[in-house]
Amino acid sequence: MKKIVLNKEVWFQVILHIVVFIFYSFDRRNPEIKPYQYVFFLNFVSAGLVINYTLLPRFLYPGVYLKFAVYVVLVVAWVIFVEETILEKIYFPDTRGRRFLGVGYNLMSTLPTLSVLAGFKFGWDALIKQKEVKELKDSVQESELQFLKSQINPHFLFNNMNNLYSYAIEKSPRTPELIIELSGVLRYMLYECKAKYVSLSKEVEQLENFINLGRLQIEGRGTVTFSKRIAQSNFWVAPLILIVFVENALKHGSSSQTSGINIEVDIKVTANGLLYFKCSNTYKTETNTNNLDSGIGLENVKKRLSIIYPKGHTLHIKAHKKIYEVELTIDLKTSREQ
């Protein structure tokens, strides 16, 4: 990677020096390039190389500004010295080489060229640094996402193992069915959700399997309904987002009520890629409603939404009239297959 960047920089510098030399030597009244112009320009090139590959990395970038300024002044002084005491006397002994034209005149002819050569190098380094920062930021963000997803599996498993344990204690005939449903969802979580995005159809399928687990969990104490209207399913979505809200509804709805549980899940996807998700559950006002918004799952999914869909989602959570309701909208056009 560094070799590729270095090769690009070499070509960039070569092209830059050619362009600068053309502007430096071009005279509209006499467009012919004279041999001495190559020599005079090499004096600038050598100074530019010292500034670009010694002074910039050793002093300017680490923040040693005073030393950088002093050395730049010395380099500029050296360029003027070489030009006035050596080159001018060799190529123009009877005209320009006979007298010193002054510091101001020499600075006016020296600084523009050196500024262009050094300025473009500074700009190149800034672009490379910006790219490295972006790659580092993406890497950190990806690590954070993987960590957040890794939290979901044990959180999900812990809640459902409790349900499985209660079924086993009661020797319920539904225990094998619960195990099959649970293993299917776990297989999806462990092996098919490693990418940043998964197909929408697969995510909805696993959401439905998870809801079937919920029906077994509150069997005899209420109902869980699921409706879906998907105009187009060839979109991609971040995995394990919707499941967390359903899990939260099942946990709080079933823990606060022994009967009359009502959980409704609705998902709609339009042809232009807008996903509308709604999940509501009943709860008893006697329970601590402040805990409804807490827990690893909800905080986790809020963080993931802010990272993956920073400007492509809206999330509204409210509790009113013994109903806890979540409404989520995601613009799936911002999702891409990874």
Side-chain angles (χ1 to χ4, degrees):
M1 180 65 182
K2 288 185 177 180
K3 186 177 180 180
I4 295 175
V5 173
L6 182 60
N7 290 337
K8 287 182 179 180
E9 182 177 351
V10 170
W11 281 108
F12 169 76
Q13 289 291 344
V14 169
I15 295 172
L16 171 66
H17 280 74
I18 292 173
V19 172
V20 174
F21 176 70
I22 291 173
F23 279 96
Y24 168 79
S25 60
F26 180 76
D27 186 347
R28 185 175 57 183
R29 294 167 297 181
N30 184 13
E32 181 183 358
I33 298 177
K34 303 294 191 300
Y36 76 86
Q37 291 175 313
Y38 293 102
V39 179
F40 275 74
F41 187 70
L42 283 175
N43 188 31
F44 289 108
V45 171
S46 61
L49 292 175
V50 171
I51 294 174
N52 292 343
Y53 295 98
T54 301
L55 302 187
L56 285 177
R58 289 188 62 182
F59 300 108
L60 182 65
Y61 297 156
V64 189
Y65 302 121
L66 182 59
K67 283 189 176 182
F68 174 77
V70 171
Y71 283 121
V72 167
V73 170
L74 291 176
V75 169
V76 172
W78 175 257
V79 171
I80 295 174
F81 174 79
V82 170
E83 184 172 304
E84 288 291 330
T85 62
I86 300 176
L87 301 182
E88 294 280 5
K89 294 187 179 303
I90 292 175
Y91 290 97
F92 307 101
D94 299 327
T95 54
R96 288 156 44 183
R98 297 183 64 180
R99 62 189 179 88
F100 181 63
L101 298 177
V103 175
Y105 175 85
N106 281 278
L107 287 177
M108 290 296 292
S109 63
T110 302
L111 289 181
T113 305
L114 284 181
S115 297
V116 170
L117 295 176
F120 273 90
K121 168 60 177 172
F122 180 81
W124 175 272
D125 290 344
L127 288 175
I128 297 301
K129 184 61 66 176
Q130 184 181 31
K131 183 179 179 181
E132 291 176 352
V133 170
K134 184 180 183 303
E135 290 175 351
L136 179 61
K137 183 179 178 181
D138 291 343
S139 176
V140 171
Q141 190 176 85
E142 183 61 30
S143 299
E144 185 176 6
L145 283 173
Q146 292 299 328
F147 172 72
L148 290 172
K149 281 199 289 187
S150 71
Q151 285 184 311
I152 293 176
N153 292 336
H155 184 243
F156 164 83
L157 184 60
F158 176 78
N159 288 335
N160 281 277
M161 287 302 292
N162 286 336
N163 301 330
L164 183 59
Y165 175 76
S166 62
Y167 270 81
I169 289 295
E170 296 172 1
K171 297 181 180 180
S172 170
R174 307 295 297 274
T175 303
E177 183 181 352
L178 178 62
I179 294 174
I180 292 175
E181 293 285 356
L182 180 59
S183 64
V185 176
L186 279 176
R187 187 181 304 110
Y188 173 71
M189 287 184 168
L190 293 174
Y191 300 111
E192 300 181 41
C193 293
K194 294 182 178 180
K196 186 176 181 179
Y197 300 108
V198 296
S199 67
L200 175 64
S201 57
K202 192 69 176 178
E203 182 71 6
V204 172
E205 177 187 343
Q206 294 306 316
L207 178 65
E208 194 163 5
N209 291 338
F210 187 84
I211 290 172
N212 289 335
L213 278 175
R215 290 193 177 103
L216 293 174
Q217 179 179 336
I218 65 169
E219 185 179 25
R221 295 185 293 155
T223 59
V224 180
T225 60
F226 176 58
S227 62
K228 58 181 179 179
R229 292 159 290 167
I230 301 178
Q232 190 173 334
S233 61
N234 60 340
F235 291 106
W236 295 79
V237 65
L240 309 178
I241 293 286
L242 308 180
I243 283 178
V244 173
F245 295 113
V246 177
E247 181 186 14
N248 190 65
L250 289 167
K251 179 176 67 176
H252 290 294
S254 59
S255 63
S256 64
Q257 300 172 96
T258 56
S259 63
I261 301 171
N262 183 32
I263 298 174
E264 297 180 3
V265 181
D266 179 66
I267 182 170
K268 175 185 176 183
V269 179
T270 65
N272 61 349
L274 285 179
L275 183 150
Y276 298 96
F277 173 81
K278 183 177 179 181
C279 180
S280 63
N281 63 273
T282 55
Y283 70 93
K284 283 188 175 182
T285 55
E286 291 81 4
T287 60
N288 187 0
T289 57
N290 292 328
N291 291 330
L292 291 173
D293 292 332
S294 62
I296 295 175
L298 276 183
E299 292 303 315
N300 187 310
V301 78
K302 289 177 182 178
K303 181 68 173 176
R304 290 183 64 212
L305 283 169
S306 67
I307 294 175
I308 303 174
Y309 302 104
K311 297 181 180 179
H313 84 282
T314 59
L315 176 63
H316 299 289
I317 301 176
K318 56 185 178 180
H320 63 101
K321 297 180 180 179
K322 300 184 180 180
I323 300 291
Y324 185 78
E325 190 173 88
V326 174
E327 291 184 352
L328 172 65
T329 302
I330 298 177
D331 184 0
L332 298 178
K333 296 190 297 296
T334 58
S335 302
R336 295 290 184 267
E337 180 181 0
Q338 299 295 302

